[in-house]
Amino acid sequence: MTRIHRKSVKKGFDFTLMVAGESGLGKSTLVNSLFLTDLYRDRKLLGAEERIMQTVEITKHAVDIEEKGVRLRLTIVDTPGFGDAVNNTECWKPVAEYIDQQFEQYFRDESGLNRKNIQDNRVHCCLYFISPFGHGLRPLDVEFMKALHQRVNIVPILAKADTLTPPEVDCKKRKIREEIERFGIKIYQFPDCDSDEDEDFKLQDQALKESIPFAVIGSNTVVEARGRRVRGRLYPWGIVEVENPGHCDFVKLRTMLVRTHMQDLKDVTRETHYENYRAQCIQSMTR
Ligand code: GDP
Ligand code: MG
């Protein structure tokens, strides 16, 4: 562990995660599944609809979690789903503006007198949800991601993977990766691992990169599977388990976010996205 890393482990991490994409793709549900695990443990089962309201404006939720002894102060930014409106032109605008406002605030604080304890509300990662029902990306997805890719680390998500068979998941993933490439969308690039890492680590890293877009399943209900109570979705023909790596990439995504890549997502936000914003600001001031 490097010295800096040790220090941040002790202090705990601040991290802001945003979710975006079409309405009804399970964004709010996934966030609940990702981070509120403890809140609902052994509670009586409620329908998802009772707990989650439709998201109509950009909202922030703070969650404190502990991950292997490391404190995490998470802020979740939930954005209104688009796609319902007749006219979706520039539906990415409020989201882009929100990200810029956080940069602006940080820029102002950083230029101020008291620079010691700046509250960092910059958005470190945006999970962008892609519909499992389309043939790859929709024009709106392309427009949205391109409006955001210079501002934030985009991690693409294939939503509601339980509605697809495993070969369909593979096929859609491949198509989406091709289209991301073809349309010049700059998603978050997982860093190459150090050459001195062991083989296991390298294989894991490779598997992570090949999982893009992460196929996920979200659920707010606990079901009984193989004698254990797990988060899952109960169908007449069986159960899909959120945290079963054989069923979806949920665990991979969660591990990536809160353990293996959190610091890199923050570094890229600071070194690339925020620097871009800052350079533009300074340029416009001196013109
Ligand atoms: P949002 O509009 O993107 O925030 O979507 P919600 O989280 O509100 O979910 C919309 C609906 O989809 C709800 O009825 C959820 O129970 C359901 N849902 C959420 N995640 C999944 C999933 O992974 N698979 C399936 N089949 N349904 C899901
Ligand atoms: Mg929502």
Side-chain angles (χ1 to χ4, degrees):
M1 227 190 260
T2 62
R3 208 174 64 86
I4 292 181
H5 187 58
R6 231 183 347 248
K7 212 168 128 192
S8 31
V9 164
K10 213 169 128 203
K11 255 185 18 194
F13 284 89
D14 282 304
F15 191 77
T16 300
L17 177 74
M18 172 184 260
V19 291
E22 195 181 322
S23 145
L25 287 182
K27 298 183 294 297
S28 302
T29 307
L30 188 79
V31 161
N32 269 296
S33 307
L34 279 171
F35 303 117
L36 305 183
T37 322
D38 294 329
L39 292 188
Y40 305 125
R41 192 181 285 160
D42 295 331
R43 288 287 169 74
K44 79 174 161 62
L45 306 182
L46 294 172
E49 283 72 16
E50 294 174 71
R51 197 175 304 118
I52 301 178
M53 312 279 259
Q54 210 175 343
T55 320
V56 291
E57 54 188 16
I58 295 180
T59 52
K60 265 170 68 166
H61 308 270
V63 205
D64 284 313
I65 60 171
E66 197 168 314
E67 187 70 24
K68 308 251 166 185
V70 180
R71 248 179 347 121
L72 300 176
R73 277 177 304 269
L74 286 172
T75 305
I76 312 291
V77 181
D78 200 349
T79 63
F82 55 81
D84 291 340
V86 177
N87 183 357
N88 288 303
T89 332
E90 306 202 321
C91 57
W92 45 266
K93 242 193 177 148
V95 180
E97 274 164 14
Y98 180 88
I99 297 171
D100 283 352
Q101 277 160 15
Q102 312 314 309
F103 283 150
E104 187 190 335
Q105 180 68 46
Y106 195 88
F107 184 62
R108 230 182 299 135
D109 290 352
E110 200 183 43
S111 328
L113 283 175
N114 184 6
R115 285 185 302 165
K116 274 249 173 67
N117 295 308
I118 302 179
Q119 170 100 31
D120 185 3
N121 291 318
R122 292 173 296 186
V123 182
H124 300 113
C125 179
C126 173
L127 301 180
Y128 187 84
F129 285 62
I130 298 160
S131 171
F133 309 118
H135 297 284
L137 298 179
R138 298 172 185 195
L140 205 55
D141 294 325
V142 177
E143 205 185 309
F144 206 98
M145 285 194 272
K146 287 190 102 163
L148 295 193
H149 69 182
Q150 309 279 27
R151 294 178 158 96
V152 67
N153 292 312
I154 297 176
V155 172
I157 301 289
L158 180 55
K160 299 189 174 179
D162 56 316
T163 62
L164 302 169
T165 64
E168 285 170 335
V169 168
D170 288 344
C171 178
K172 290 222 187 234
K173 280 187 172 192
R174 209 169 324 115
K175 182 118 200 269
I176 291 167
R177 280 199 302 266
E178 273 166 26
E179 292 184 340
I180 283 174
E181 178 83 29
R182 179 147 51 89
F183 291 113
I185 300 166
K186 307 257 178 299
I187 57 170
Y188 170 63
Q189 291 300 309
F190 290 98
D192 292 327
C193 52
D194 295 336
S195 50
D196 59 353
E197 294 288 0
D198 60 47
E199 279 310 306
D200 252 17
F201 186 94
K202 282 182 186 162
L203 283 175
Q204 230 179 316
D205 192 65
Q206 184 67 16
L208 186 71
K209 288 170 185 165
E210 284 166 2
S211 304
I212 300 290
F214 294 106
V216 299
I217 299 166
S219 167
N220 292 307
T221 47
V222 176
V223 294
E224 184 109 10
R226 292 173 285 132
R228 288 183 309 123
R229 285 161 61 71
V230 297
R231 205 176 267 264
R233 307 186 72 86
L234 178 62
Y235 290 107
W237 51 87
I239 289 169
V240 283
E241 298 166 43
V242 169
E243 292 173 70
N244 183 333
H247 292 188
C248 73
D249 300 325
F250 178 90
V251 172
K252 258 192 208 136
L253 172 67
R254 191 174 192 283
T255 307
M256 186 289 277
L257 284 175
V258 304
R259 306 238 316 264
T260 52
H261 289 73
M262 181 171 274
Q263 190 57 50
D264 188 63
L265 286 160
K266 293 183 71 166
D267 291 347
V268 176
T269 301
R270 196 185 60 241
E271 289 160 15
T272 307
H273 301 301
Y274 177 62
E275 273 313 302
N276 281 343
Y277 174 85
R278 210 170 155 274
Q280 276 169 21
C281 263
I282 291 171
Q283 217 169 46
S284 66
M285 284 191 304
T286 54
R287 244 204 305 267

Coordinates of all heavy atoms in Angstrom, one line a residue, residues 164-222:
L164 N -32.9 -11.2 -20.5 CA -32.1 -11.7 -21.7 C -31.5 -13.1 -21.3 O -31.2 -13.3 -20.2 CB -31.0 -10.8 -22.1 CG -31.4 -9.3 -22.4 CD1 -30.1 -8.5 -22.5 CD2 -32.2 -9.3 -23.8
T165 N -31.4 -13.9 -22.4 CA -30.7 -15.2 -22.1 C -29.2 -14.9 -22.2 O -28.7 -13.9 -22.7 CB -31.0 -16.2 -23.2 OG1 -30.5 -15.7 -24.5 CG2 -32.5 -16.5 -23.4
P166 N -28.3 -15.8 -21.6 CA -26.9 -15.5 -21.6 C -26.3 -15.2 -23.0 O -25.5 -14.3 -23.2 CB -26.3 -16.8 -21.0 CG -27.4 -17.3 -20.1 CD -28.7 -17.0 -20.8
P167 N -26.7 -16.0 -24.1 CA -26.2 -15.6 -25.4 C -26.6 -14.3 -25.9 O -25.9 -13.5 -26.5 CB -26.7 -16.7 -26.3 CG -27.1 -17.8 -25.4 CD -27.5 -17.3 -24.1
E168 N -27.8 -13.9 -25.5 CA -28.3 -12.6 -25.9 C -27.5 -11.5 -25.1 O -27.2 -10.4 -25.7 CB -29.8 -12.4 -25.5 CG -30.7 -13.1 -26.5 CD -32.2 -13.2 -26.0 OE1 -32.5 -13.1 -24.8 OE2 -33.1 -13.3 -26.9
V169 N -27.2 -11.7 -23.9 CA -26.4 -10.8 -23.1 C -25.1 -10.6 -23.8 O -24.6 -9.4 -24.1 CB -26.2 -11.2 -21.7 CG1 -25.1 -10.4 -21.0 CG2 -27.5 -11.2 -20.9
D170 N -24.4 -11.7 -24.2 CA -23.1 -11.6 -24.9 C -23.2 -10.8 -26.2 O -22.4 -9.9 -26.5 CB -22.5 -13.0 -25.2 CG -22.1 -13.7 -23.9 OD1 -21.9 -13.0 -22.9 OD2 -21.9 -14.9 -23.9
C171 N -24.2 -11.1 -26.9 CA -24.4 -10.5 -28.2 C -24.7 -9.0 -28.1 O -24.1 -8.2 -28.8 CB -25.6 -11.2 -28.9 SG -26.0 -10.5 -30.5
K172 N -25.5 -8.6 -27.1 CA -25.8 -7.2 -26.9 C -24.6 -6.4 -26.4 O -24.3 -5.3 -26.8 CB -26.9 -7.0 -25.9 CG -28.2 -7.4 -26.5 CD -29.4 -6.5 -26.2 CE -30.6 -7.3 -26.7 NZ -31.5 -6.8 -27.6
K173 N -23.9 -7.1 -25.5 CA -22.6 -6.4 -25.0 C -21.7 -6.1 -26.1 O -21.1 -5.0 -26.2 CB -21.9 -7.4 -24.0 CG -22.5 -7.4 -22.6 CD -21.6 -8.2 -21.7 CE -22.1 -8.0 -20.3 NZ -21.1 -8.6 -19.4
R174 N -21.5 -7.1 -27.0 CA -20.6 -6.9 -28.1 C -21.0 -5.8 -29.0 O -20.2 -4.9 -29.4 CB -20.4 -8.2 -28.9 CG -19.1 -8.4 -29.6 CD -18.8 -9.8 -30.2 NE -19.4 -10.8 -29.4 CZ -20.3 -11.7 -29.8 NH1 -20.8 -11.5 -31.0 NH2 -20.7 -12.7 -29.0
K175 N -22.3 -5.8 -29.3 CA -22.9 -4.7 -30.2 C -22.7 -3.3 -29.5 O -22.3 -2.4 -30.2 CB -24.4 -5.0 -30.4 CG -25.1 -4.1 -31.3 CD -25.7 -4.8 -32.5 CE -26.0 -3.8 -33.6 NZ -27.4 -3.3 -33.6
I176 N -23.0 -3.2 -28.3 CA -22.9 -2.0 -27.6 C -21.4 -1.5 -27.6 O -21.1 -0.3 -27.8 CB -23.5 -2.1 -26.2 CG1 -25.0 -2.2 -26.2 CG2 -23.1 -0.8 -25.3 CD1 -25.7 -2.6 -25.0
R177 N -20.5 -2.4 -27.3 CA -19.1 -2.0 -27.3 C -18.7 -1.5 -28.7 O -17.9 -0.5 -28.8 CB -18.2 -3.2 -26.9 CG -18.1 -3.5 -25.4 CD -16.9 -4.4 -25.1 NE -16.9 -5.7 -25.8 CZ -17.4 -6.8 -25.3 NH1 -17.9 -6.8 -24.1 NH2 -17.4 -7.9 -25.9
E178 N -19.1 -2.2 -29.7 CA -18.8 -1.8 -31.1 C -19.3 -0.4 -31.4 O -18.6 0.4 -32.0 CB -19.4 -2.7 -32.1 CG -18.6 -3.9 -32.5 CD -19.4 -5.0 -33.2 OE1 -20.4 -4.6 -33.9 OE2 -19.0 -6.2 -33.1
E179 N -20.6 -0.2 -30.9 CA -21.2 1.1 -31.2 C -20.5 2.3 -30.4 O -20.4 3.4 -30.9 CB -22.7 1.1 -31.0 CG -23.4 0.2 -32.0 CD -24.9 0.1 -31.8 OE1 -25.4 0.5 -30.8 OE2 -25.5 -0.2 -32.8
I180 N -20.1 2.0 -29.2 CA -19.4 3.0 -28.4 C -18.2 3.4 -29.1 O -17.9 4.6 -29.2 CB -19.1 2.4 -27.0 CG1 -20.4 2.4 -26.2 CG2 -18.0 3.2 -26.3 CD1 -20.3 1.7 -24.8
E181 N -17.5 2.4 -29.7 CA -16.3 2.7 -30.4 C -16.6 3.5 -31.7 O -16.0 4.5 -32.0 CB -15.7 1.3 -30.8 CG -14.4 1.3 -31.6 CD -13.2 1.5 -30.8 OE1 -13.2 1.1 -29.6 OE2 -12.2 2.1 -31.3
R182 N -17.6 3.0 -32.5 CA -17.9 3.6 -33.8 C -18.4 5.0 -33.6 O -18.1 5.9 -34.5 CB -19.0 2.7 -34.4 CG -19.5 3.2 -35.8 CD -19.8 2.0 -36.7 NE -20.7 1.1 -36.1 CZ -22.1 1.2 -36.1 NH1 -22.6 2.2 -36.8 NH2 -22.8 0.3 -35.5
F183 N -19.1 5.3 -32.6 CA -19.7 6.7 -32.4 C -18.7 7.6 -31.7 O -19.0 8.8 -31.4 CB -21.0 6.7 -31.7 CG -22.1 6.1 -32.6 CD1 -22.7 4.9 -32.2 CD2 -22.5 6.7 -33.7 CE1 -23.7 4.3 -33.0 CE2 -23.6 6.1 -34.5 CZ -24.1 5.0 -34.1
G184 N -17.5 7.1 -31.4 CA -16.5 7.9 -30.7 C -16.9 8.4 -29.3 O -16.6 9.5 -28.9
I185 N -17.6 7.5 -28.6 CA -18.0 7.8 -27.2 C -16.8 7.4 -26.3 O -16.3 6.2 -26.4 CB -19.3 7.0 -26.8 CG1 -20.4 7.4 -27.7 CG2 -19.6 7.3 -25.3 CD1 -21.6 6.5 -27.6
K186 N -16.4 8.3 -25.5 CA -15.3 8.0 -24.6 C -15.7 7.6 -23.2 O -16.0 8.4 -22.4 CB -14.4 9.3 -24.4 CG -14.0 9.9 -25.7 CD -12.5 9.6 -26.0 CE -12.1 10.1 -27.4 NZ -12.9 9.6 -28.5
I187 N -15.8 6.3 -23.0 CA -16.3 5.8 -21.7 C -15.0 5.7 -20.8 O -13.9 5.9 -21.3 CB -17.0 4.5 -21.8 CG1 -16.1 3.4 -22.4 CG2 -18.3 4.6 -22.6 CD1 -16.6 2.0 -22.3
Y188 N -15.3 5.5 -19.5 CA -14.2 5.3 -18.6 C -13.3 4.2 -19.0 O -13.8 3.1 -19.3 CB -14.8 5.1 -17.2 CG -13.7 4.7 -16.1 CD1 -12.7 5.6 -15.8 CD2 -13.8 3.4 -15.5 CE1 -11.7 5.2 -14.9 CE2 -12.8 3.1 -14.6 CZ -11.8 3.9 -14.3 OH -10.9 3.6 -13.3
Q189 N -12.0 4.4 -19.0 CA -11.0 3.4 -19.4 C -10.4 2.8 -18.2 O -9.8 3.5 -17.4 CB -9.9 4.0 -20.3 CG -10.4 4.4 -21.7 CD -10.9 3.2 -22.5 OE1 -10.3 2.2 -22.6 NE2 -12.1 3.4 -23.0
F190 N -10.6 1.5 -18.0 CA -9.9 0.9 -16.8 C -8.4 1.0 -17.1 O -7.9 0.7 -18.2 CB -10.4 -0.6 -16.7 CG -11.8 -0.7 -16.3 CD1 -12.8 -0.9 -17.2 CD2 -12.1 -0.5 -14.9 CE1 -14.1 -1.0 -16.8 CE2 -13.4 -0.6 -14.5 CZ -14.4 -0.9 -15.4
P191 N -7.7 1.4 -16.0 CA -6.2 1.5 -16.2 C -5.6 0.1 -16.5 O -6.1 -0.9 -16.0 CB -5.8 2.1 -14.9 CG -6.8 1.8 -13.9 CD -8.1 1.7 -14.7
D192 N -4.5 0.1 -17.2 CA -3.8 -1.1 -17.4 C -3.1 -1.5 -16.1 O -2.7 -0.7 -15.3 CB -2.7 -0.9 -18.5 CG -3.3 -0.7 -19.8 OD1 -4.3 -1.3 -20.1 OD2 -2.7 0.1 -20.6
C193 N -3.1 -2.8 -15.8 CA -2.5 -3.2 -14.5 C -1.0 -3.3 -14.7 O -0.4 -3.5 -15.7 CB -3.1 -4.4 -13.9 SG -3.2 -5.8 -14.9
D194 N -0.3 -3.1 -13.5 CA 1.1 -3.1 -13.5 C 1.7 -4.4 -13.9 O 1.0 -5.5 -13.6 CB 1.6 -2.8 -12.0 CG 1.3 -1.4 -11.6 OD1 1.1 -0.5 -12.5 OD2 1.2 -1.1 -10.4
S195 N 2.8 -4.4 -14.6 CA 3.3 -5.7 -15.1 C 3.8 -6.6 -13.9 O 3.9 -7.8 -14.1 CB 4.5 -5.4 -16.0 OG 5.4 -4.5 -15.4
D196 N 4.0 -6.0 -12.7 CA 4.4 -6.9 -11.6 C 3.3 -7.5 -10.8 O 3.5 -8.2 -9.8 CB 5.4 -6.1 -10.7 CG 4.7 -4.9 -10.1 OD1 3.6 -4.5 -10.5 OD2 5.3 -4.3 -9.2
E197 N 2.0 -7.3 -11.3 CA 0.9 -7.9 -10.6 C 0.9 -9.4 -10.9 O 1.4 -9.8 -11.9 CB -0.4 -7.3 -11.2 CG -0.6 -5.8 -10.8 CD -1.0 -5.6 -9.4 OE1 -1.0 -6.6 -8.6 OE2 -1.2 -4.4 -9.0
D198 N 0.3 -10.2 -10.0 CA 0.3 -11.6 -10.2 C -0.7 -12.0 -11.3 O -1.6 -11.2 -11.7 CB 0.2 -12.4 -8.9 CG -1.1 -12.1 -8.2 OD1 -2.2 -12.1 -8.9 OD2 -1.1 -11.9 -7.0
E199 N -0.6 -13.3 -11.8 CA -1.4 -13.7 -12.9 C -2.9 -13.7 -12.6 O -3.7 -13.3 -13.4 CB -1.1 -15.2 -13.3 CG 0.2 -15.2 -14.2 CD 0.1 -14.3 -15.4 OE1 -0.9 -14.4 -16.1 OE2 1.1 -13.5 -15.6
D200 N -3.3 -14.1 -11.3 CA -4.7 -14.0 -10.9 C -5.3 -12.7 -11.1 O -6.4 -12.5 -11.6 CB -4.7 -14.4 -9.4 CG -5.3 -15.8 -9.2 OD1 -5.3 -16.6 -10.2 OD2 -5.7 -16.1 -8.1
F201 N -4.5 -11.7 -10.6 CA -5.0 -10.3 -10.7 C -5.1 -9.9 -12.1 O -6.1 -9.2 -12.4 CB -3.9 -9.4 -10.0 CG -4.4 -8.0 -9.8 CD1 -5.0 -7.5 -8.7 CD2 -4.1 -7.1 -10.9 CE1 -5.4 -6.2 -8.6 CE2 -4.5 -5.8 -10.8 CZ -5.2 -5.3 -9.6
K202 N -4.2 -10.3 -13.0 CA -4.3 -9.9 -14.4 C -5.5 -10.5 -15.0 O -6.2 -9.8 -15.8 CB -3.0 -10.3 -15.1 CG -1.9 -9.4 -14.9 CD -0.6 -9.8 -15.6 CE 0.6 -9.0 -15.3 NZ 1.8 -9.6 -15.7
L203 N -5.8 -11.7 -14.7 CA -6.9 -12.4 -15.3 C -8.2 -11.7 -14.9 O -9.2 -11.5 -15.7 CB -7.0 -13.9 -14.9 CG -6.0 -14.8 -15.6 CD1 -6.0 -16.2 -15.0 CD2 -6.3 -14.8 -17.1
Q204 N -8.3 -11.4 -13.6 CA -9.5 -10.7 -13.0 C -9.7 -9.4 -13.7 O -10.8 -9.0 -14.1 CB -9.2 -10.5 -11.5 CG -10.3 -10.9 -10.6 CD -10.0 -10.7 -9.2 OE1 -8.8 -10.9 -8.8 NE2 -10.9 -10.1 -8.5
D205 N -8.6 -8.7 -13.9 CA -8.6 -7.4 -14.5 C -9.1 -7.5 -16.0 O -9.9 -6.7 -16.4 CB -7.2 -6.8 -14.5 CG -7.2 -5.3 -14.9 OD1 -7.8 -4.5 -14.1 OD2 -6.6 -4.9 -15.9
Q206 N -8.6 -8.5 -16.7 CA -9.0 -8.8 -18.1 C -10.5 -9.0 -18.1 O -11.2 -8.5 -19.0 CB -8.2 -10.0 -18.6 CG -8.5 -10.3 -20.0 CD -7.9 -9.2 -21.0 OE1 -7.1 -8.4 -20.5 NE2 -8.4 -9.2 -22.2
A207 N -11.0 -9.9 -17.2 CA -12.4 -10.3 -17.1 C -13.3 -9.0 -16.9 O -14.3 -8.9 -17.5 CB -12.7 -11.3 -16.0
L208 N -12.8 -8.1 -16.1 CA -13.5 -6.9 -15.8 C -13.7 -6.1 -17.0 O -14.7 -5.6 -17.4 CB -12.7 -6.1 -14.7 CG -13.4 -4.9 -14.1 CD1 -14.6 -5.3 -13.3 CD2 -12.4 -4.0 -13.4
K209 N -12.6 -5.9 -17.8 CA -12.6 -5.1 -19.0 C -13.5 -5.7 -20.0 O -14.2 -5.0 -20.8 CB -11.2 -4.9 -19.6 CG -10.4 -3.9 -18.7 CD -8.9 -3.9 -19.1 CE -8.2 -3.0 -18.1 NZ -6.7 -3.2 -18.2
E210 N -13.6 -7.0 -20.1 CA -14.4 -7.7 -21.1 C -15.9 -7.7 -20.7 O -16.7 -8.1 -21.5 CB -13.9 -9.1 -21.3 CG -12.6 -9.1 -22.2 CD -11.9 -10.4 -22.2 OE1 -12.4 -11.4 -21.5 OE2 -10.8 -10.5 -22.8
S211 N -16.2 -7.3 -19.5 CA -17.6 -7.3 -19.0 C -18.4 -6.1 -19.5 O -19.6 -6.1 -19.3 CB -17.7 -7.4 -17.5 OG -17.0 -8.5 -17.0
I212 N -17.7 -5.1 -19.9 CA -18.3 -3.9 -20.3 C -19.3 -4.1 -21.5 O -18.9 -4.7 -22.5 CB -17.3 -2.8 -20.7 CG1 -16.3 -2.6 -19.6 CG2 -17.9 -1.5 -21.3 CD1 -17.0 -1.8 -18.4
P213 N -20.5 -3.6 -21.5 CA -21.2 -2.9 -20.4 C -21.7 -3.9 -19.4 O -22.1 -5.0 -19.7 CB -22.4 -2.3 -21.1 CG -22.7 -3.2 -22.3 CD -21.3 -3.7 -22.7
F214 N -21.5 -3.6 -18.1 CA -21.9 -4.5 -17.0 C -23.4 -4.8 -17.1 O -24.2 -4.0 -17.2 CB -21.7 -3.9 -15.7 CG -20.2 -3.7 -15.4 CD1 -19.6 -2.4 -15.4 CD2 -19.4 -4.8 -15.1 CE1 -18.3 -2.2 -15.1 CE2 -18.0 -4.6 -14.8 CZ -17.5 -3.3 -14.8
A215 N -23.7 -6.2 -17.2 CA -25.1 -6.6 -17.3 C -25.6 -6.8 -15.8 O -25.0 -7.5 -15.1 CB -25.2 -7.9 -18.0
V216 N -26.6 -6.0 -15.4 CA -27.0 -6.0 -14.0 C -28.5 -6.4 -13.8 O -29.3 -6.3 -14.7 CB -26.7 -4.7 -13.3 CG1 -25.2 -4.3 -13.4 CG2 -27.5 -3.6 -13.9
I217 N -28.7 -6.8 -12.6 CA -30.1 -7.1 -12.2 C -30.2 -6.4 -10.8 O -29.3 -6.5 -10.0 CB -30.3 -8.6 -12.0 CG1 -30.1 -9.3 -13.4 CG2 -31.7 -8.9 -11.5 CD1 -30.0 -10.9 -13.3
G218 N -31.3 -5.7 -10.7 CA -31.6 -5.1 -9.4 C -32.8 -5.6 -8.8 O -33.7 -6.1 -9.5
S219 N -32.9 -5.6 -7.5 CA -34.1 -6.0 -6.8 C -34.1 -5.5 -5.4 O -33.1 -5.3 -4.7 CB -34.1 -7.5 -6.7 OG -35.1 -7.9 -5.8
N220 N -35.3 -5.2 -4.9 CA -35.4 -4.7 -3.5 C -36.0 -5.7 -2.6 O -36.4 -5.5 -1.5 CB -36.2 -3.4 -3.4 CG -35.4 -2.3 -4.1 OD1 -34.3 -2.0 -3.7 ND2 -36.0 -1.6 -5.0
T221 N -36.2 -6.9 -3.2 CA -36.8 -8.0 -2.3 C -35.9 -9.1 -2.1 O -35.0 -9.4 -2.8 CB -38.1 -8.5 -3.0 OG1 -37.8 -8.8 -4.4 CG2 -39.2 -7.5 -3.0
V222 N -36.1 -9.7 -0.9 CA -35.3 -10.8 -0.5 C -36.1 -12.1 -0.7 O -37.2 -12.2 -0.4 CB -34.9 -10.7 1.0 CG1 -34.2 -11.9 1.5 CG2 -34.1 -9.4 1.3

